[in-house]
Amino acid sequence: MDWNDYDAALFDLDGVITPTAEVHMRAWAQMFGDFLKERGIAEPYTDDDYYTYVDGKPRYEGVRSFLASREIELPEGDPNDPPSSASVAGLGNRKNADFEQILETDGVDPYPGSVALVNALVERGTKMAIVSSSRNAKPVLRAAMMIDFFPVIVDGSVAAERGLAGKPQPDTFLDAAEQLGVPKERAVVFEDALSGVAAGHAGDFGLVVGVDRGVGPDKLLDHGADVVVQDLGELV
């Protein structure tokens, strides 16, 4: 790719800048594993469930999607529901509590290749933003010492405040490009999630780069990625 064709880079966070996707995967597996066990359901939650129903989606939407796949019905609940509540919101809050515990215990380091690309883009003056479904984007960026690189952060909390539809809708990416003052045709989307590359494709951005952290290049291409890399260091 020729960076002279683009003026902005819009990065997903988890699995693109930081390996917090692994922390999220562990938190989802812990939460859903406990939930299924509590209900006496033998069929286990798997990594394939994560990639198919949860990855890249807002937290409560991920809960809804997985529960629907198992034909489990729960009340919607309220965002203030405690993690012990048997509701969509309660399960989402339980997952977030598990995530925060794992993050605090183990910390997070950014991918070296991603740091190399970000530094290269700083040198050439490319504008950058984080577009994440997570409500934990800022704490994760601070833990990874990367927050100062991104003057625009559109995360799950910002999306909720502004009424922006989450991925696979393109609204959050479009909002970030608008805040940066860059036409979407001059912006590159970086995503490792199927819902994220679908959002980039739906938004008709200049380029959608799929980052293969395990979902597979074919699926990323099928959902809208223009190009797939294993590591962002390949683009430096």
Side-chain angles (χ1 to χ4, degrees):
M1 61 181 291
D2 185 351
W3 278 105
N4 291 319
D5 294 334
Y6 309 106
D7 300 317
L10 312 177
F11 296 93
D12 180 37
L13 177 59
D14 304 328
V16 174
I17 297 296
T18 58
T20 37
E22 299 171 8
V23 182
H24 281 290
M25 285 183 72
R26 289 170 57 191
W28 281 111
Q30 182 171 310
M31 185 276 288
F32 277 131
D34 291 344
F35 170 74
L36 293 174
K37 184 177 180 180
E38 290 165 4
R39 295 178 72 91
I41 298 174
E43 184 181 357
Y45 172 86
T46 67
D47 286 350
D48 188 60
D49 288 320
Y50 173 80
Y51 289 122
T52 303
Y53 303 113
V54 174
D55 190 20
K57 296 179 181 178
R59 192 192 325 152
Y60 298 151
E61 180 58 32
V63 174
R64 293 187 201 100
S65 183
F66 173 75
L67 292 179
S69 76
R70 298 297 180 87
E71 299 183 345
I72 299 173
E73 295 185 4
L74 290 180
E76 186 68 18
D78 181 271
N80 294 320
D81 281 359
S84 58
S85 178
S87 65
V88 169
L91 290 184
N93 294 343
R94 187 193 304 192
K95 178 266 168 183
N96 195 55
D98 290 342
F99 174 84
E100 291 177 348
Q101 180 183 16
I102 295 170
L103 183 65
E104 181 178 353
T105 301
D106 298 343
V108 62
D109 293 317
Y111 293 106
S114 300
V115 173
L117 177 60
V118 166
N119 285 328
L121 294 181
V122 168
E123 291 182 8
R124 72 177 307 277
T126 302
K127 297 180 179 180
M128 292 184 288
I130 291 291
V131 182
S132 173
S133 297
S134 172
R135 292 174 180 260
N136 298 298
K138 289 183 179 179
V140 170
L141 285 167
R142 290 191 188 99
M145 294 184 290
M146 295 288 290
I147 196 166
D148 292 339
F149 291 106
F150 304 102
V152 171
I153 299 172
V154 181
D155 63 5
S157 296
V158 172
E161 291 169 2
R162 299 184 182 179
L164 301 173
K167 306 167 188 178
Q169 301 303 315
D171 301 42
T172 50
F173 282 115
L174 292 170
D175 183 80
E178 183 178 355
Q179 288 192 59
L180 291 175
V182 175
K184 61 183 181 179
E185 296 82 7
R186 299 284 298 178
V188 182
V189 168
F190 294 89
E191 266 285 358
D192 70 314
L194 298 180
S195 59
V197 294
H201 180 74
D204 198 26
F205 287 88
L207 190 72
V208 179
V209 178
V211 186
D212 183 17
R213 304 294 191 190
V215 69
D218 291 342
K219 287 185 178 180
L220 290 166
L221 292 168
D222 288 344
H223 281 74
D226 298 306
V227 63
V228 175
V229 297
Q230 297 289 325
D231 186 86
L232 293 189
E234 299 171 35
L235 302 176
V236 176

